[in-house]
Amino acid sequence: MSRDVFTYLVGGKAGEGVKKAGSVSANLFAEMGRFAFQYDDYQSLVRGGHNFSVVTTATRDVGSHYGKADLIVALDALSYGKHRGSLAPGGVLVCDPESVPGADAARNSADGSAPDDGPGTVVTVPIRAEAKKYPLPGLRVGVAGAATLCAVTGLTADALEELIRAEYPRDLENNVAYGRAIYAAVLAATDVRFPLERGDRARPLLAGNECIALGAVAAGLDVYAAYPMTPSSSLLHYLAKHDDELGVTVMHPESEIAVANIAVGAASMGARAMVGSSGGGFALMEEALSFAGMAEIPLLCMLSARSGPSTGVPTYTEQADLRFALNQGHGEFSRVVASPGSFAEAYRVTAELMDIAWRFQTVGIVLTEKHLSECSATVDIDVEGAAWPEPSLALTGAYRRYAVTEDVVSPMLFPPSGELVKWSSYEHDEYGVTTEDGETITLMHDKRNRKLATIEEHVKNLSTVVWHGDPDAPLIFTYGSTTMSVLEAVRAGGLNAAVVQPVYLEPFPTWELEGLKGTRPVVVEQSSTGQFETLLREKAGIEALASVRRYDGRPFEPLELARELEEVLS
Amino acid sequence: MSRDVFTYLVGGKAGEGVKKAGSVSANLFAEMGRFAFQYDDYQSLVRGGHNFSVVTTATRDVGSHYGKADLIVALDALSYGKHRGSLAPGGVLVCDPESVPGADAARNSADGSAPDDGPGTVVTVPIRAEAKKYPLPGLRVGVAGAATLCAVTGLTADALEELIRAEYPRDLENNVAYGRAIYAAVLAATDVRFPLERGDRARPLLAGNECIALGAVAAGLDVYAAYPMTPSSSLLHYLAKHDDELGVTVMHPESEIAVANIAVGAASMGARAMVGSSGGGFALMEEALSFAGMAEIPLLCMLSARSGPSTGVPTYTEQADLRFALNQGHGEFSRVVASPGSFAEAYRVTAELMDIAWRFQTVGIVLTEKHLSECSATVDIDVEGAAWPEPSLALTGAYRRYAVTEDVVSPMLFPPSGELVKWSSYEHDEYGVTTEDGETITLMHDKRNRKLATIEEHVKNLSTVVWHGDPDAPLIFTYGSTTMSVLEAVRAGGLNAAVVQPVYLEPFPTWELEGLKGTRPVVVEQSSTGQFETLLREKAGIEALASVRRYDGRPFEPLELARELEEVLS
Amino acid sequence: MTKRPTADPSCGLPAWAGQDDLTTYGENTWCPGCGNFAILNAAKAAVRSLEGDGIGRDRIVMAAGIGQHAKIFDYLGLSGVYSLHGRAIAVAQGMKLANPDLSVIVFVGDGDTMGEGLAHLLFAAKRNADVTVVMHDNGVYALTTGQRSPLSPEGYKGPSTPHGNTEQPLNPLVLTLEAGATFVARGYSGDIAGLTGLIADGVRHKGFSFIDVLQPCVTFNNRYAEYNELAKPMDGGPLSFDDALALARVQETLPTGILYRAERGSAEELLTRGRNPVRDSGCRSDRLAAVRLLLDG
Amino acid sequence: MTKRPTADPSCGLPAWAGQDDLTTYGENTWCPGCGNFAILNAAKAAVRSLEGDGIGRDRIVMAAGIGQHAKIFDYLGLSGVYSLHGRAIAVAQGMKLANPDLSVIVFVGDGDTMGEGLAHLLFAAKRNADVTVVMHDNGVYALTTGQRSPLSPEGYKGPSTPHGNTEQPLNPLVLTLEAGATFVARGYSGDIAGLTGLIADGVRHKGFSFIDVLQPCVTFNNRYAEYNELAKPMDGGPLSFDDALALARVQETLPTGILYRAERGSAEELLTRGRNPVRDSGCRSDRLAAVRLLLDG
Ligand SMILES: Cc1ncc(C[n+]2csc(CCOP(=O)(O)OP(=O)(O)O)c2C)c(N)n1
Ligand SMILES: Cc1ncc(C[n+]2csc(CCOP(=O)(O)OP(=O)(O)O)c2C)c(N)n1
Ligand code: SF4
Ligand code: SF4
Ligand SMILES: [Mg+2]
Ligand SMILES: [Mg+2]
């Protein structure tokens, strides 16, 4: 059976290599020239519990995993129980008879459907018994996923071996032997096959945080400082791992407060610095953001939201930090906030914000969510398309750090320079010396505020609102990682709808939306109070016709979302 | 010459008792049954520089000091130079010949005006030479202010002596002798007299922060934690000084982060806790606010804004923390923000927010500014009018901290109780045990969000928007401490205008403003970007006709403001 | 995933109880073999021991940071606050200040409290806050997948330091001693009985108690073998300050027990001067009378 | 109130200069007699002394916290950052990390850095960040009108502790030594020559230098008399760690000088492994090539 969209799900305990099994399959699809989207659902624990990875692939772009899987590999009883109901009609669920005593071949009816438990075929394969023949059986069961996938998608045993060599090199020979055994057992257990066509060309498979990292590097990132916090940590890990190749210095200091102030200090001496965190850690950086705003020190930040408030649900997604991101820090200062709606956009937007931060000596915030940060997908990145910061730099001469200029921004200069360069968190005069003089206070407020308009002019040249689909169709508004879900839903459901996605949220691109004042779009977001909807109403005068919201920590499922959208659009 | 409004200004160096001289006069006026308003302008330094105190008094309520003073005492040359231009026509400036060599009697023309320097009479009195006859002359010159004031307002030398006995008891006899000498010298130097009528009754003279402290105490404050930060520190100092009398435990720990978390911990065990800071310190408390929001721990906060962003201008005023206050903390949780427009309102609103925080287990923020925090005035406080928290408390039984109830809030219970009471920053089930279950996450978001509507219902019964003046007159919108300036301007300028002042800012009282949609009021605020104006537009659909803003750190001057208002209103 | 309580109250256990009356139904998600299990068991035993002294479990409350260690909050049947990463000691001080009649146990991680929250630890020691800190010392940020903690040795490779940790570790016993802690101990999760005694003694001690518990993290920093050899109960009781400090510096052996104990007024008693803010909280008319007093004064 | 620069550039001084080429026009608002004046003068003399060694003043940058101490930022003619209360040491580490060729002097207050920013101080010591911290130790929060600082003695009465401070003070020399500082010194503002030497030596030292400068606050904590008696230059140079620690504990005399000095790799050299992030920052094509490498890898 060949399918337009093929979905593979593997579930097991934390520590069994579930995520790895997902990424092995996604890589395999990518190498076949197909598109792939990987979602990892994991708990805030290290061993045990229940994790699963879902990979959806197609020969066209795919913006989400799907809820119904064509192939499910359940490594333990919990996975069987949780996912039995997610098997697509005609699909096959492969599980271990030890873990799932009841799930034996007897359950299968002739037509491949198991009437008791829903559609699809359930087969058992001795995943654990076979693994026990080798040392460290618990670490090996992930290979069973690859073996099953190869068998069911009609790849050869040699292709499987090649895959294992590339992906499971530790204790390789045992892995190969184990994999071949499972492969044979799967072939014997079921006739269901999903041959997968090759796609047009191989694409890199990247996580959202990796795209952000690369975007920052493309725009000249010098120093990255961060304190671990899910779902931002993988950005730290990726940059730390590749620091030499990327030419980036990475520091993990004692706290987020240290992070932000180290970054501000680094930027003041000319290093393109960036910080990243999630809500709780970001909250601790607020004082430093206001500091950067006052001192006009360029600072790029990545805020990856998780289910909140407070500690919340660390490994799950939400879009509840929007108003927080837009209003950080006390007092009045410029800041730019943008939220990417795709992996490629994450690269572009991060580079753009680095440019903006340096061009306007301001704070840039890449607002994203766990869903983009930690999902992976095949991406077409426009490497050369990245912005490159062009800060205004002083030619030496009698330097004044905060010179009031016609260009609005005061040129920068970094020690050693022969000049006095004073950055200050106090209100200051043009030299950066503290002032309490009323006229100077007013002058400096005006100087900083003039940047607001200049930034807006600059941002107008960027792709601030992305329109997807026929502009005359009914409108759906969304933003951030939810864009991917909405686009996939529209595609999957064949909906007649245009999706409007503001990428920039501050300055809010009202100029792009003026024509839409008074329209009544559907607004989709992962927030329980509708922060994005409120923003649309307040900034652009656009009132929602209907709101589609999800806030249980899980991303939207495209087919379910399509049904919901269909209902409200009609 | 008897005047409706009489203004007294005393200027000198930091450390010379300038503020004290101001408050001595304000107290004197208060005891005469008059109204008084005291503004202290001081720099962020401890000795030297230039400080001044202005006290305006009348027999009717007075909401601001005035820019033109009837009596000026200039203790040093800087004060002479800065304030010579502020002398009202017919007024008298008393200064020291040593400090101001050029300012001798020769400057005075026969009609009491000094044509070179503007209106009024300038006289010299040997303030410093006389002081040098006693030990510690620098500490004594403040007494000269009291002596001059008594002389010019026609009080007897005995009345002066009584005043000195009450206010300058240290080294009393020398103070009395010195004061009498200056009194005699002033009487000899000028004939200008401003006899002041007695008013209706003596009122207490209080600073804004003292009103906030008393409001919190009236509503049962048990624990106050704070780290010093201008202009919030005087709240800490006042409560620390009067802790025994007020029954409050006061703690100054290592940082604002400790402050906020100590308060949250204290509240979780049943203490009515409060914290206070200014922008920079408040920024550090954000993570704890979100924590209180998630854990549903009642927390009352006082945020007193100063000129920002960042360190800014610590001893000057601004209203630039509005959007910061409204959007604190990551994730979605309820919070209530109100900003008092008068001293009496500071008392009332603080008590109300304590009640709300406890009634709805939420975060309450008293948003104010340096102008209200640190000015003093005669106040008519409705002591009995204070709200008293009526939290929902559990009758023992199988207790669930986060029970989902019909009443929206889950009853509280404090150890020791025989029950298990678990407060948590993680998403949790009804018992407070961590959950990652999608349904429970949704349930708990909904539970917390239901409070938003309940709080709104409650707030609707409060005085959320105050109307001052004839509702049919042209409208002026303002809020916070600027209200006092606007009201005084309207009074002083005899303007035909109604002043509309939202006291509650979150939930924003749209229900009170519905009738005003489409009106074009004048909006007055101390913000450079017009945050309040934006809020009015976004929340209530009210577009400003004209904006009157000031952001040089100084409060509005009523006559200047009246002129500006007149212009835009006409 | 947490199940809602199922315990049948008729069996005598409260509705929230799991395997026993000091354990909740919260599903335990620590790795098999993790040292945290022993800390949980020791904490339960300590509570029972304190009950023997007449300190009822209702009067014993807890606070926890955020990390693997902190999950103890979900499992242990005590009231309290699951706070923020690094802030548990601040929260605990607030709890104690509000109601000094309570005994407060604070479960913290080494990342949590030697990194993010270091200042709270040292200031609690300085002011002798009467709380008992149990630090789950696994030398790693376990919950966030193995980054180096402030106690990790130089060279430690974790995802944030793939080339090896370039910093030398802090010494928690030394720093708390120097900051003014009046009860400093080392425990080992491999010795539940010893640890039970330390926790109970820490709670009995009036003033700041700090217990550095060696807690092997089998997944990221498995030091069972090393600890089993080096972590033996020390001979004799608390030492002089200087000897305690000297012992705290030794790395070749890791003797467990109370290194140091001293008497000093506690933060709360000095600050409240005998009042109990919650118990002695004035009623409305008291408060209004106080306000009037100040208005008239 | 600050005047705009008036200096006539034709006289050879830069436009921003005040009384000399290392002093700005910023109006000095310290109280007459304040110990901060001497620190300013010592800092200027140290810069001149370092210039003698070939460390040009362009390569010496500064960071300051917020407090009376920090006003030195406005007066001293060095480039740098006027940061936040408590955060100067973090900011300074970022400055050094960005460009390890620079020498960074950090002026901090005792409230600033032993209170709000304690963790940054101890971590900078732990990782041996190559910055020189000059702590203006006046034992009080002066700028905010005299509240007790973490170094104030028990019983100190300030506006936040009108009944007297209930906490015992921290010992800054002991804590920085224990945290791993490789240069620990005590200075006295009453001895400008000695202080000049300490600051210059601190800058010369590769690694974390901490100088606790006794600085009488004439307004809130005037200890000139006491310091003039107790703060005498110590005999001989740096001591062993143990002796330094012992000396740091003594309160009866307050010897000034370098208590301890040691060699250890600095934070920045270990972290950057020889790169200079600003100087060696890749151009656009390098960066894009690196991106492509990772995309293809
Ligand atoms: C402000 C903030 N920063 C970061 C995190 C993410 N975080 C959660 S646990 C943890 C580290 C835990 O390490 P440790 O305290 O040693 O506990 P362990 O898991 O090792 O028991 C971190 C960094 C957070 N929750 N909050
Ligand atoms: C986050 C924050 N909290 C509080 C303040 C207010 N503040 C400014 S200076 C200061 C204390 C200064 O004490 P110290 O560091 O000892 O400096 P000193 O004035 O004594 O030189 C405080 C609390 C601030 N600016 N920022
Ligand atoms: S990761 Fe380590 S600390 Fe966490 S539960 Fe597993 S063994 Fe214990
Ligand atoms: S208050 Fe103290 S520290 Fe501040 S300038 Fe005056 S003497 Fe110096
Ligand atoms: Mg740990
Ligand atoms: Mg100080």
Side-chain angles (χ1 to χ4, degrees), chain B residues 369-394:
Chain B
E369 302 88 26
K370 187 264 178 186
H371 189 54
L372 187 133
S373 278
E374 297 201 342
C375 283
S376 298
T378 44
V379 283
D380 279 315
I381 280 187
D382 174 12
V383 175
E384 316 293 323
W388 180 254
E390 311 265 9
S392 156
L393 294 174

Side-chain angles (χ1 to χ4, degrees), chain D residues 241-286:
Chain D
F241 182 82
D242 287 345
D243 289 346
L245 205 52
L247 190 64
R249 291 190 203 287
V250 173
Q251 298 298 321
E252 293 71 37
T253 64
L254 299 167
T256 58
I258 306 174
L259 276 72
Y260 180 69
R261 185 160 55 194
E263 298 263 316
R264 182 151 73 83
S266 78
E268 301 76 22
E269 67 184 5
L270 294 170
L271 213 56
T272 59
R273 300 189 298 284
R275 286 182 75 254
N276 178 315
V278 165
R279 204 192 43 217
D280 305 335
S281 179
C283 63
R284 179 157 200 256
S285 63
D286 288 356

Side-chain angles (χ1 to χ4, degrees), chain D residues 13-253:
Chain D
L13 287 182
W16 51 261
Q19 68 192 62
D20 62 44
D21 63 335
L22 269 173
T23 313
T24 72
Y25 59 89
E27 186 180 327
N28 195 308
T29 59
W30 284 324
C31 309
C34 174
N36 282 323
F37 288 100
I39 301 180
L40 171 60
N41 287 330
K44 291 196 282 182
V47 169
R48 295 195 207 282
S49 146
L50 290 163
E51 286 184 312
D53 295 5
I55 304 179
R57 70 177 66 173
D58 279 355
R59 277 185 40 214
I60 307 172
V61 293
M62 67 170 157
I66 300 294
Q68 290 284 21
H69 64 276
K71 291 181 175 176
I72 198 171
F73 183 88
D74 281 333
Y75 312 148
L76 184 57
L78 289 180
S79 295
V81 186
Y82 207 153
S83 74
L84 296 174
H85 181 59
R87 310 303 167 198
I89 297 177
V91 170
Q93 289 177 78
M95 293 162 71
K96 180 74 185 178
L97 188 66
N99 186 348
D101 292 345
L102 302 173
S103 295
V104 187
I105 309 180
V106 202
F107 298 96
V108 302
D110 56 319
D112 191 57
T113 212
M114 299 301 303
E116 185 85 70
L118 181 61
H120 307 307
L121 172 71
L122 299 183
F123 272 84
K126 169 189 195 288
R127 64 174 73 102
N128 202 27
D130 187 12
V131 301
T132 299
V133 172
V134 177
M135 185 170 83
H136 302 222
D137 179 356
N138 57 9
V140 73
Y141 284 27
L143 188 61
T144 47
T145 70
Q147 299 88 358
R148 69 110 153 71
S149 99
L151 305 186
S152 302
E154 283 182 76
Y156 174 90
K157 289 191 177 166
S160 65
T161 54
H163 309 289
N165 180 20
T166 56
E167 304 185 8
Q168 68 176 40
L170 293 174
N171 185 321
L173 297 171
V174 166
L175 287 177
T176 47
L177 280 167
E178 296 286 17
T182 52
F183 179 110
V184 175
R186 182 191 279 129
Y188 172 36
S189 65
D191 171 11
I192 296 191
L195 185 54
T196 300
L198 292 178
I199 297 176
D201 282 347
V203 172
R204 286 184 195 108
H205 173 73
K206 190 175 65 56
F208 186 68
S209 308
F210 178 71
I211 309 170
D212 178 13
V213 184
L214 305 175
Q215 175 245 314
C217 165
V218 294
T219 300
F220 296 114
N221 196 21
N222 191 346
R223 295 168 71 180
Y224 269 117
E226 179 188 345
Y227 291 158
N228 282 338
E229 196 171 315
L230 303 181
K232 299 273 184 258
M234 60 195 273
D235 303 326
L239 309 171
S240 71
F241 182 82
D242 287 345
D243 289 346
L245 205 52
L247 190 64
R249 291 190 203 287
V250 173
Q251 298 298 321
E252 293 71 37
T253 64

Side-chain angles (χ1 to χ4, degrees), chain A residues 227-229 256 280-281 284 306 311, chain B residues 287, chain C residues 66-69 85 109-112 116 138 140-144:
Chain A
Y227 187 85
M229 186 162 193
E256 290 86 354
L284 293 167
R306 61 196 214 185
T311 312
Chain B
E287 195 196 8
Chain C
I66 300 294
Q68 289 284 21
H69 63 276
H85 180 60
D110 56 321
D112 190 58
E116 185 84 73
N138 56 9
V140 73
Y141 284 30
L143 188 61
T144 48

Side-chain angles (χ1 to χ4, degrees), chain B residues 238-298:
Chain B
Y238 186 75
L239 286 168
K241 185 168 163 198
H242 298 292
D243 57 353
D244 286 333
E245 293 145 272
L246 297 174
V248 176
T249 299
V250 176
M251 185 169 180
H252 156 196
E254 64 272 22
S255 68
E256 291 86 352
I257 299 184
V259 160
N261 285 286
I262 286 170
V264 164
S268 75
M269 294 296 115
R272 286 174 204 166
M274 178 174 176
V275 302
S277 192
S278 188
F282 219 80
L284 293 167
M285 302 203 209
E286 297 247 336
E287 195 196 8
L289 293 200
S290 180
F291 171 23
M294 175 59 122
E296 305 192 49
I297 294 177

Side-chain angles (χ1 to χ4, degrees), chain B residues 332-345:
Chain B
E332 294 170 333
F333 57 96
S334 58
R335 78 207 90 182
V336 181
V337 181
S339 186
S342 75
F343 292 80
E345 218 163 66

